[in-house]
Amino acid sequence: MRRVLYPGSFDPVTLGHMDIIARASRAFEQVVVGVLHNPNKPSGMLPVEERLSLLRLAVRAYDHIEVASFSGLLMDAVRAAGADGVVRGLRGVEDVPDELQMARLNRQLGGVETVFLAASPGIAHISSARVREIARFGGAVDALVPEAARDQIVQALRRYRE
Ligand code: PNS
């Protein structure tokens, strides 16, 4: 695999995502970070455009990483991105059942292979859902999100908190 899609909700991007992005960028020639969404059923906290601009800030130091949004199925997004496969991070055993199911379905129905990277232990407890929860109750999320986009993420979470 040379060009891979790293898909997710990225609502918002966290240090957990950055760990996978950094390591995928060393393992593959090109990485497309894809915000997947369903335009008919908007969900999450931040609007997709906001997630994209925060991601672009977060990855600005890399020169072979693209950021884009895709709607619909992951297997179709892989094709739209011109990618050879998918990269996903595994934070722990609790991620495995869902991830295996997705990977197997994407392979069976779309011929798409998934490569898993084991999250680094120091950040494996971080998730976007917890970041949103902490921000919603006024807690500090500075230590959980990428420095290059820290101020903008804190402001965005504050703006869309209600
Ligand atoms: O960051 P997340 O929320 O863990 O990302 C999950 C995501 C967006 C990668 C997953 O829900 C997904 O692939 N959604 C697209 C719809 C799809 O293809 N569903 C069937 C998978 S077999």
Side-chain angles (χ1 to χ4, degrees):
M1 278 185 208
R2 295 177 50 217
R3 182 175 166 89
V4 289
L5 177 64
Y6 175 41
S9 305
F10 302 103
D11 185 26
V13 58
T14 68
L15 286 182
H17 298 128
M18 296 309 291
D19 171 49
I20 301 300
I21 288 171
R23 289 163 48 209
S25 80
R26 293 194 285 272
F28 304 100
E29 282 175 33
Q30 295 169 352
V31 179
V32 181
V33 180
V35 177
L36 265 76
H37 66 106
N38 179 348
N40 302 320
K41 201 176 145 203
S43 64
M45 187 174 184
L46 304 179
V48 170
E49 283 310 316
E50 189 87 38
R51 300 181 206 178
L52 288 169
S53 55
L54 295 173
L55 265 169
R56 289 196 176 104
L57 274 178
V59 304
R60 66 187 167 186
Y62 297 89
D63 56 10
H64 58 301
I65 293 193
E66 297 163 37
V67 174
S69 67
F70 301 92
S71 60
L73 290 173
L74 176 54
M75 61 187 92
D76 296 329
V78 171
R79 234 155 267 126
D84 311 309
V86 168
V87 168
R88 290 283 286 172
L90 289 177
R91 287 168 299 191
V93 289
E94 65 281 7
D95 283 343
V96 170
D98 268 6
E99 292 295 336
L100 280 187
Q101 186 183 43
M102 275 206 308
R104 287 180 175 136
L105 285 167
N106 284 324
R107 182 156 178 267
Q108 180 188 348
L109 302 179
V112 168
E113 289 285 9
T114 301
V115 172
F116 293 108
L117 297 181
S120 300
I123 50 75
H125 57 292
I126 300 175
S127 71
S128 295
R130 291 298 182 204
V131 167
R132 291 196 302 274
E133 185 178 54
I134 292 163
R136 191 168 289 128
F137 291 107
V141 298
D142 306 50
L144 309 176
V145 298
E147 193 176 353
R150 187 163 290 156
D151 293 348
Q152 292 83 351
I153 291 172
V154 169
Q155 282 164 23
L157 288 171
R158 209 169 281 153
R159 216 174 318 128
Y160 294 99
R161 197 153 67 180
E162 293 313 324

